[in-house]
Amino acid sequence: MASSSSSSHLIPASWKYDVFMSFRGEDTRKNFVDHLYSALDQQGIYTYKDDKTLARGESIGQSLLKAIRESQIAVIVFSKNYAESSWCLDELAYIIECMDEIGKIVMPIFYDIDPSDVRKLKGKIEESFAKHELEHMNKVESWRSALVKASNLSGWVPKDFANGHEAKCIKDIVGRISSRLTTKVKKDLIGIVTRLQDLKSKLEIGSGGVRMVGIWGVGGGGKTTLASAAYTEISHQFEAHCLLEKIRDESSKHGLKKLQELFLSSVLKTNVLVESEIEGRSMIERRLCRKRVLVVLDDVDDLEQLEALAGSHDWFGEGSRIIITTRDEHLLTRKIDAIYEVSLLSHDEAIKLFSRHAYRKEKPVEDYEKLSEDVVSYAGGLPLALEVLGSFLYDKDKDEWSSALTKLKCIPDIKVMERLKISYDGLMPDEKELFLDIACYFRRSLIDEAMMVLDACSFHPRIGVKVLIQKSLIKVSNGIVDMHDLIEEMAHYIIRGAHPNHPEKHSRIWKKK
């Protein structure tokens, strides 16, 4: 099939509807159009169909014209009596006008009618136009032109598709519509474009097989934001899709069986009950092994969660893609095909994100440049910190900014610390002690020297350091052990929290006088 009309012209910044359906109700409303609408709806494709979407009392003419303009794709279902309706022909003429002027995508379907009859105005269409020429002389020419243009576009003839198997034809139509829909990443997602491109290259969409890709990085670093952006942009390319959020929290609150139910219900678009976790694993494999699915498992912190929700590549159909976000690289070492480590924001990106929250502008306002630089330096490119601090400082004056920055040096922001502390809370007791020692005594030290001291203290640091690296709490580069400034702040916050009013009882001292 040749490609349908497409746009290289002005495209609206956003669409209200994915698809507008033009059809003759008496011919197709209760059969083909109803089945097509249901199939589109099942795939999450928002479709305007006048008897489903029109608000009571609203002017039909203006509502339909507005809906046509605000729909990314127009699907025209031609049928024997389509041309009898002056209203259908008005819709058609306006759709073709939008195609010519703003490049609207138009996809024709010739249901129980030959495309050549539409193109040459033969049969029932010819009879209809004989009447229209008496009643609508001023519109006939534009209607005729629209019919010819639409009939010359590539489309579908259901009776000739797959030996007349209508369900297969509808599946092909929905797939083609899905592939043509474009979803724009939100403009307020600073730095998302290049990171999204890098992630998509690891997903290798379009290649065969099932592929699992992990997104790994420090807490508050943008893993969920990136995974959600990828899901929004590519989900329409899959037969079914699901974004399962906050798995760490939901698993601890409701258990894995409930997560399996949410997962299956979301993918299959129906309420699914699971008797046991073992049955849930079997159900996921049995129901999804022939489906091309996109799944995002957000904030995974335990291998059991992965085993319960995505235990094997074989659970999913050819072409499926599974995205997992986690703070723990170790969880990604067994089943994952590729790991994407989220990079923190550059200085320019950090300034822009902070300014969005602190001033509701793209850059610092006059007289606040130095204070903004201080905050951005403190945050170290961590999106969470930039958003929290920017929102807090919004509508504060310069003196309040200076006071807040001075306070941060002694008392860090609790929201930021508690989010970062999640990684620490997941450590074993001896790993927690090792982390606090490194944060207080060995940051920016030679790793071999630190290891020697810690080993002499019987801390068995080799395996512990590996765990801390996998948890995104420390890094080792060029033989030097280091960490993010706010991770170090978090360690001090933990130590102070044990005895907040008695510094003499703190387990470690880190300030040199």
Side-chain angles (χ1 to χ4, degrees):
M1 183 191 300
S3 62
S4 302
S5 69
S6 61
S7 171
S8 59
H9 307 287
L10 175 65
I11 298 176
S14 61
W15 305 100
K16 185 172 182 180
Y17 306 102
D18 295 321
V19 173
F20 178 91
M21 289 179 64
S22 176
F23 61 96
R24 182 73 164 126
E26 66 183 54
D27 289 349
T28 58
R29 187 191 307 278
K30 294 182 179 180
N31 43 62
F32 184 83
V33 165
D34 187 48
H35 299 153
L36 177 58
Y37 180 86
S38 296
L40 291 168
D41 184 60
Q42 192 171 32
Q43 291 301 308
I45 297 172
Y46 189 30
T47 304
Y48 189 104
K49 176 168 165 272
D50 61 353
D51 61 343
K52 286 280 186 180
T53 317
L54 195 60
R56 239 177 233 284
E58 202 172 342
S59 169
I60 290 179
Q62 288 305 312
S63 297
L64 288 178
L65 294 178
K66 189 170 184 287
I68 291 169
R69 283 196 306 273
E70 295 177 343
S71 299
Q72 189 173 350
I73 295 174
V75 172
I76 306 165
V77 183
F78 289 113
S79 57
K80 286 182 178 179
N81 296 304
Y82 184 91
E84 271 190 7
S85 168
S86 60
W87 191 253
C88 284
L89 293 172
D90 279 340
E91 280 181 14
L92 173 65
Y94 191 67
I95 287 169
I96 297 303
E97 181 183 331
C98 290
M99 181 185 80
D100 291 339
E101 293 186 0
I102 63 170
K104 184 170 298 295
I105 301 171
V106 179
M107 297 182 173
I109 300 167
F110 303 93
Y111 184 81
D112 204 21
I113 190 171
D114 197 290
S116 66
D117 286 353
V118 178
R119 187 177 306 114
K120 298 175 182 178
L121 277 67
K122 287 184 175 182
K124 292 275 289 184
I125 294 180
E126 185 178 17
E127 295 173 15
S128 298
F129 264 75
K131 297 177 183 178
H132 292 317
E133 284 174 351
L134 298 175
E135 300 171 5
H136 306 284
M137 287 183 62
N138 60 327
K139 292 184 176 182
V140 166
E141 205 52 49
S142 66
W143 290 346
R144 183 179 286 113
S145 173
L147 280 167
V148 171
K149 283 189 176 182
S151 64
N152 281 322
L153 298 172
S154 68
W156 293 264
V157 183
K159 67 182 179 65
D160 295 337
F161 189 94
N163 293 320
H165 287 280
E166 195 170 286
K168 291 183 179 179
C169 183
I170 287 175
K171 184 176 181 180
D172 189 71
I173 293 168
V174 173
R176 185 61 58 91
I177 288 172
S178 294
S179 69
R180 297 302 301 275
L181 289 172
T182 58
T183 306
K184 293 187 177 182
V185 176
K186 289 183 179 180
K187 291 181 179 178
D188 61 346
L189 299 179
I190 307 296
I192 197 69
V193 175
T194 55
R195 290 166 177 81
L196 188 55
Q197 288 174 344
D198 292 341
L199 174 61
K200 285 165 68 177
S201 71
K202 290 187 180 294
L203 287 169
E204 297 181 7
I205 297 167
S207 64
V210 176
R211 193 164 174 82
M212 296 188 181
V213 174
I215 302 177
W216 167 62
V218 66
K223 299 181 297 297
T224 298
T225 300
L226 177 59
S228 298
Y231 179 82
T232 299
E233 182 161 304
I234 66 175
S235 59
H236 68 271
Q237 300 178 37
F238 294 81
E239 187 179 352
H241 45 82
C242 169
L243 195 165
L244 207 56
E245 297 180 290
K246 300 178 180 177
I247 287 176
R248 175 178 54 83
D249 289 340
E250 294 299 318
S251 177
S252 62
K253 289 178 184 176
H254 306 294
L256 294 174
K257 184 169 74 74
K258 184 64 176 178
L259 277 174
Q260 290 172 329
E261 290 179 345
L262 289 171
F263 179 30
L264 284 166
S265 298
S266 177
V267 173
L268 300 173
K269 307 295 183 188
T270 187
N271 189 40
V272 177
L273 296 178
V274 173
E275 293 296 326
S276 68
E277 184 195 325
I278 297 299
E279 184 198 31
R281 297 185 189 197
S282 176
M283 287 179 69
I284 292 171
E285 180 178 11
R286 188 171 66 253
R287 302 291 294 274
L288 303 185
C289 66
R290 285 177 290 276
K291 282 186 178 291
R292 185 172 183 265
V293 299
L294 172 66
V295 177
V296 175
L297 304 178
D298 174 53
D299 196 16
V300 172
D301 75 335
D302 193 296
L303 192 59
E304 287 188 359
Q305 296 159 1
L306 274 184
E307 295 289 352
L309 298 168
S312 168
H313 288 62
D314 295 338
W315 287 14
F316 308 100
E318 177 74 13
S320 294
R321 293 295 180 266
I322 317 299
I323 300 173
I324 298 128
T325 76
T326 183
R327 300 172 183 223
D328 189 352
E329 187 188 24
H330 176 66
L331 298 179
L332 305 175
T333 55
R334 295 190 184 186
K335 303 177 185 294
I336 306 304
D337 300 295
I339 297 175
Y340 178 79
E341 183 178 2
V342 175
S343 59
L344 298 179
L345 298 180
S346 68
H347 178 267
D348 289 345
E349 291 170 339
I351 284 286
K352 188 178 288 187
L353 180 60
F354 175 72
S355 298
R356 288 256 182 103
H357 290 272
Y359 318 110
R360 306 298 189 263
K361 296 182 178 180
E362 292 294 311
K363 58 184 180 181
V365 300
E366 192 175 353
D367 296 333
Y368 281 76
E369 291 93 337
K370 178 62 170 63
L371 290 168
S372 297
E373 288 284 351
D374 290 344
V375 176
V376 167
S377 175
Y378 171 82
L382 190 72
L384 168 68
L386 292 161
E387 291 172 5
V388 169
L389 297 176
S391 298
F392 170 72
L393 293 170
Y394 178 66
D395 77 8
K396 305 289 192 299
D397 61 31
K398 287 180 67 175
D399 290 338
E400 290 171 320
W401 273 53
S402 297
S403 175
L405 285 169
T406 301
K407 177 184 174 183
L408 282 173
K409 294 176 182 177
C410 302
I411 307 172
D413 184 271
I414 292 177
K415 288 182 183 177
V416 176
M417 292 298 107
E418 288 298 323
R419 280 283 296 277
L420 293 174
K421 187 171 171 285
I422 291 169
S423 296
Y424 171 85
D425 291 338
L427 297 174
M428 299 295 287
D430 60 316
E431 294 164 351
K432 290 180 178 179
E433 295 298 316
L434 179 63
F435 165 70
L436 295 176
D437 282 340
I438 292 174
C440 292
Y441 308 134
F442 297 106
R443 188 182 176 193
R444 301 191 181 96
S445 297
L446 290 169
I447 185 64
D448 289 341
E449 292 181 3
M451 287 288 194
M452 183 173 63
V453 174
L454 292 166
D455 203 33
C457 296
S458 300
F459 286 159
H460 311 292
R462 294 288 170 187
I463 185 62
V465 165
K466 177 73 172 178
V467 171
L468 298 183
I469 292 172
Q470 291 176 328
K471 293 277 189 181
S472 302
L473 289 169
I474 68 172
K475 289 183 176 294
V476 176
S477 178
N478 298 320
I480 303 293
V481 61
D482 204 357
M483 64 183 62
H484 192 282
D485 288 346
L486 290 178
I487 296 291
E488 182 184 42
E489 282 278 2
M490 182 261 288
H492 300 166
Y493 168 82
I494 291 167
I495 293 167
R496 282 194 297 263
H499 301 283
N501 300 316
H502 297 281
E504 73 278 5
K505 293 183 179 181
H506 289 171
S507 63
R508 293 161 180 83
I509 299 172
W510 55 87
K511 287 187 177 180
K512 296 180 180 179
K513 296 289 187 180

